[in-house]
Amino acid sequence: MSQQHDPQPRSSMDIELTMLMESIYQKYSYDFRDYTGASQKRRVLHAMGEMKCDTISVLQSRVLHDPAAFTQLLQYLTIPVTEMFRDPSYYAALREHVMPVLSTYPSLKIWVAGCSTGEEVYSLAILLKEEGLLERSIIYATDINPQSLERAKKGVFPLDSMRDYTASYQAAGGKRAFSDYYTAAYNAALFDRSLMENVTFADHSLATDSVFAETHFISCRNVMIYFKKKLQERAFGLFHESLCHRGFLGLGSKESIDFSAYGPRFEAVVKRERLFRKLS
């Protein structure tokens, strides 16, 4: 009779990390339990250094007893890595393949899931404006980090980023001078408030919250790479349920719906740019 071996025991740090995420969920209803371990561990270790906690257990205790410490930790758990017109070819594909279809609807609902500090929302608003669709669009921009949402609402970005953003905008097929969309002052760029007139910023978690009904286009880029399989499936389920018949879904350059249970319910519009369309 063959002897069965126990699985490799988990490290103390991994156990502490699991307990921290469970504590956050129980105390604050933020669910990071199905985020990928490597990225999560890296961010927690960085937070420990900045918050001067020797162990994850010490960090857990602080977070449980001090809501301000949780707010501080949340900034590390949701580090925004974003920029305007990131992956310009994605926006060029939107302009060529998606916008002409969206233009056939009398009104549009668009959901930017995981909008972070707003760079993608402003990029989409500019694209919609240039295609004559912004005025008839309602955009829901959601994230789990209230501080990121506040920054997004203000529409103020570092002026020294504008050169790179301008190059990406032009590569995405921009039709105007990018500087037409912002006013420069005090080393910052304030974006035209009219771009956000039809935007609703809202706190929303793909791990715990529900759908936005009858959306025509959902953009969720570079968010799913931080999710384990179970949470990815939940998110894809939300997107499928939220999209109208033949609605569009845009993902990040390293993400795909192909290996999901929802894969057969979508077709690729431009596969290289991770643009998909709902089949059923």
Side-chain angles (χ1 to χ4, degrees):
M1 190 173 178
S2 62
Q3 185 177 0
Q4 288 190 332
H5 295 281
D6 290 332
Q8 188 74 20
R10 299 178 68 203
S11 71
S12 297
M13 180 175 287
D14 286 342
I15 294 169
E16 284 185 303
L17 194 61
T18 299
M19 292 172 67
L20 171 63
M21 297 307 153
E22 185 63 37
S23 298
I24 289 171
Y25 177 65
Q26 295 292 338
K27 177 79 173 182
Y28 300 102
S29 300
Y30 279 72
D31 195 351
F32 293 100
R33 296 174 299 176
D34 282 311
Y35 281 55
T36 56
S39 169
Q40 193 178 77
K41 186 183 294 184
R42 188 168 59 249
R43 293 179 179 194
V44 168
L45 288 172
H46 182 50
M48 285 167 55
E50 294 295 315
M51 297 171 71
K52 297 182 171 48
C53 296
D54 293 333
T55 66
I56 296 177
S57 294
V58 171
L59 178 62
Q60 178 185 336
S61 180
R62 276 188 61 186
V63 165
L64 277 175
H65 296 99
D66 182 4
F70 169 68
T71 300
Q72 188 178 355
L73 175 59
L74 186 62
Q75 307 317 306
Y76 297 103
L77 292 178
T78 59
I79 295 171
V81 181
T82 183
E83 58 193 61
M84 287 193 183
F85 291 94
R86 184 180 187 182
D87 304 320
S89 55
Y90 170 81
Y91 288 93
L94 278 181
R95 196 186 291 272
E96 181 179 354
H97 298 281
V98 176
M99 295 297 156
V101 180
L102 295 184
S103 69
T104 64
Y105 293 97
S107 61
L108 295 169
K109 284 186 180 179
I110 294 168
W111 178 15
V112 183
C115 72
S116 188
T117 45
E119 285 84 343
E120 183 182 357
V121 184
Y122 284 85
S123 302
L124 274 175
I126 289 169
L127 183 57
L128 289 162
K129 184 179 180 70
E130 292 186 352
E131 297 304 316
L133 300 176
L134 184 59
E135 288 186 354
R136 56 173 136 146
S137 298
I138 296 173
I139 303 173
Y140 301 104
T142 66
D143 201 86
I144 62 171
N145 189 329
Q147 289 191 17
S148 292
L149 289 171
E150 283 303 312
R151 286 179 61 190
K153 287 177 188 176
K154 291 175 182 174
V156 178
F157 302 100
L159 191 60
D160 58 12
S161 298
M162 292 306 115
R163 178 176 292 184
D164 289 341
Y165 292 174
T166 298
S168 295
Y169 163 74
Q170 291 170 340
K175 296 180 177 180
R176 297 170 59 175
F178 189 58
S179 56
D180 287 349
Y181 293 110
Y182 65 86
T183 303
Y186 304 107
N187 293 317
L190 172 63
F191 274 75
D192 187 344
R193 303 312 302 161
S194 68
L195 293 170
M196 295 292 107
E197 283 180 1
N198 296 339
V199 178
T200 298
F201 290 97
D203 192 326
H204 181 278
S205 169
L206 294 172
T208 56
D209 292 326
S210 57
V211 302
F212 286 85
E214 286 298 299
T215 52
H216 300 88
F217 171 51
I218 296 173
S219 190
C220 182
R221 308 194 69 230
N222 308 300
V223 175
M224 312 282 260
I225 52 174
Y226 301 112
F227 292 175
K228 294 178 183 176
K229 180 73 172 175
K230 179 182 175 183
L231 186 49
Q232 286 181 357
E233 289 297 304
R234 187 186 196 278
F236 283 135
L238 286 180
F239 298 154
H240 183 268
E241 193 175 342
S242 297
L243 283 170
C244 67
H245 177 64
R246 302 293 285 151
F248 293 91
L249 172 65
L251 301 175
S253 60
K254 295 180 174 63
E255 300 165 331
S256 179
I257 199 168
D258 289 346
F259 303 107
S260 163
Y262 290 91
R265 303 185 192 185
F266 286 83
E267 66 176 353
V269 177
V270 185
K271 191 159 191 174
R272 186 171 60 86
E273 301 305 335
R274 304 300 195 266
L275 279 171
F276 302 89
R277 195 172 187 187
K278 182 177 173 179
L279 284 171
S280 60

